[in-house]
Amino acid sequence: MKFVLVKSNLGFADRFQLVCFVIHYSKKTGRTVVVDWTDDVWCGQETSKDFFHYFNFVNFENVTSPKQFKSWYIDYIKEGNKLSIFPKKFNILARSYGNADNDPNIKNNKFLEICDKQVEDYSEDVVVVYGGDNRSNSCLVHVRHINFNNYVMSFIEKGSFFVNIIDKKIPYCTVHLRGGDRMSFDPSNVLYNNSVNVEEYVGDIYKRIPDKFENILVLTDTQILLDTFLKMINESNKKVNVYQTNNIKITSTKDFHLTTGLHLTSDNKELKNLELIRDFYYMIKANEVIYDKISYFSSVARRVNLILKAKNLEDLLKI
């Protein structure tokens, strides 16, 4: 049996897309998928609240949990067996993604080439895939194999926006304002999206909202962006209903998910994860997603939104 182990230290959208890609890779190679989100960034101090705490797979059975895999691995090695791993120095039992970020050999297109049958699959028993590997957005079609589990859906469905808008099938658009670590003063910074210029950033996104929507849900992790957006709405002549979430928000220019994961209590870390998953759900169910076209979180959500709406192959090819 051969495995593909998913590791990451990145944000939710990268992780989610990576899982979709690995499903694609598994279908091409037959490898069993192990999704290991037990790292500090996602779980904080409680490793049991990993990927499977929030999601499950449907119509895809070639998968096992990290707990089951690690238990099997320990017993397998104790019996004197050997397991080849790529990259070679990777520590399977570590919570973090190991030293992969320093290994230039895995920053290539080989996984894409394997899926396209251009090259043979790795010969190793375990292949570790992490956020630095090149992958295609087309793999997001496999989102249909990933379900929000009952625990997450219960959290989403008790929210007033779900009850009053989504459940009643009332049209709405989402507006995503990405602050956090993207509020950089340096245009050469890879994360730069101009949101440090609050009025200009919010104003540009505000102009993109179609007049046809009477219901707007604004999603952000940064208080100043929310305040500026609400001010623009109030000063306009738009007759719209603006909704917002009660998510935890930040006032700094550091990314909440990445910088505070280790400092939150397990309950608060879980709540933050639930909130961002709920935001993701709101976007993939929206009639339209308005965003800065830079944020990966809303970019992936918009693609998933279009994929789930697609009625045939022709629709998918347009995405």
Side-chain angles (χ1 to χ4, degrees), residues 74-92:
I74 291 170
D75 291 340
Y76 188 77
I77 298 301
K78 281 182 178 179
E79 292 172 0
N81 300 303
K82 292 185 178 180
L83 207 64
S84 56
I85 303 170
F86 180 84
K88 291 182 180 179
K89 297 179 182 180
F90 199 93
N91 181 2
I92 285 179

Side-chain angles (χ1 to χ4, degrees), residues 12 148 152-167 170-176 216-220 243-247 274-290 297-298 301-302 304-305 308-309:
F12 174 76
F148 302 90
V152 170
M153 287 309 303
S154 176
F155 177 78
I156 292 171
E157 290 172 354
K158 69 183 180 182
S160 60
F161 187 78
F162 181 91
V163 172
N164 296 319
I165 301 295
I166 296 179
D167 201 34
I170 297 174
Y172 72 96
C173 73
T174 56
V175 173
H176 183 233
I216 300 171
L217 173 64
V218 56
L219 303 169
T220 184
Y243 300 87
Q244 56 180 292
T245 66
N246 60 350
N247 292 5
L274 284 169
E275 289 177 347
L276 69 87
I277 292 170
R278 181 176 60 187
D279 285 358
F280 190 76
Y281 178 91
Y282 286 157
M283 284 193 278
I284 69 175
K285 295 295 183 180
N287 295 84
E288 194 162 336
V289 178
I290 313 298
F297 182 70
S298 43
R302 181 180 177 276
V304 171
N305 178 298
L308 295 178
K309 289 177 182 175

Side-chain angles (χ1 to χ4, degrees), residues 70-114:
K70 289 177 182 180
S71 176
W72 170 84
Y73 172 74
I74 291 170
D75 291 340
Y76 188 77
I77 298 301
K78 281 182 178 179
E79 292 172 0
N81 300 303
K82 292 185 178 180
L83 207 64
S84 56
I85 303 170
F86 180 84
K88 291 182 180 179
K89 297 179 182 180
F90 199 93
N91 181 2
I92 285 179
L93 300 179
R95 287 186 63 188
S96 70
Y97 66 102
N99 65 339
D101 193 44
N102 299 319
D103 188 343
N105 295 319
I106 69 171
K107 289 187 176 182
N108 54 44
N109 289 313
K110 187 166 183 179
F111 287 105
L112 289 173
E113 293 169 352
I114 292 169

